[in-house]
Amino acid sequence: DWCQKRSVVLQAYSPIVRGQRFEEPVLQPLVKKYGKTPSQVLLRWSLQKGFVPLPKSVTLSRIEENANVYDFELTDEEMKSLETGDYAPCAWDPTTSND
């Protein structure tokens, strides 16, 4: 809400969490329901949250797959089901410092 009120756009770094969450029980039914990959469902979630997801790939098929997320929409209930509240960085953690 704070960002929306101030027109701040959030960038979603590593929005597909390097594949670490692809087997999550809450994600699998959505993959089956929409006929999408876990990456596509997670990218769609990011977009519907208003984030700017930045998936990284050098593989043409994955780049094309990552762009194919505009032909379905998650319901409000599905969106909430993916909000685990779990903080588990898969890359650099900005909340810690070695200084």
Side-chain angles (χ1 to χ4, degrees):
D1 288 340
W2 187 93
C3 290
Q4 286 180 329
K5 288 177 186 174
R6 291 160 179 83
S7 299
V8 174
V9 177
L10 292 178
Q11 181 181 50
Y13 177 78
S14 197
I16 55 177
V17 292
R18 298 186 177 177
Q20 295 175 5
R21 299 267 176 145
F22 285 0
E23 299 303 319
E24 288 286 323
V26 70
L27 186 57
Q28 291 308 306
L30 301 177
V31 167
K32 290 178 184 155
K33 175 181 177 181
Y34 293 106
K36 296 293 184 179
T37 65
S39 295
Q40 290 171 313
V41 173
L42 292 173
L43 290 170
R44 185 68 213 174
W45 180 85
S46 291
L47 289 168
Q48 285 183 228
K49 291 291 288 181
F51 303 151
V52 177
L54 300 174
K56 178 189 153 301
S57 183
V58 296
T59 307
L60 180 58
S61 61
R62 287 188 184 145
I63 293 168
E64 291 171 343
E65 175 185 299
N66 291 341
N68 188 17
V69 295
Y70 295 98
D71 59 347
F72 74 107
E73 189 170 313
L74 301 169
T75 67
D76 289 341
E77 184 177 301
E78 292 165 342
M79 289 291 292
K80 288 177 187 170
S81 76
L82 292 172
E83 294 177 14
T84 65
D86 201 19
Y87 180 71
C90 67
W92 173 72
D93 184 354
T95 66
T96 62
S97 174
N98 294 327
D99 294 336

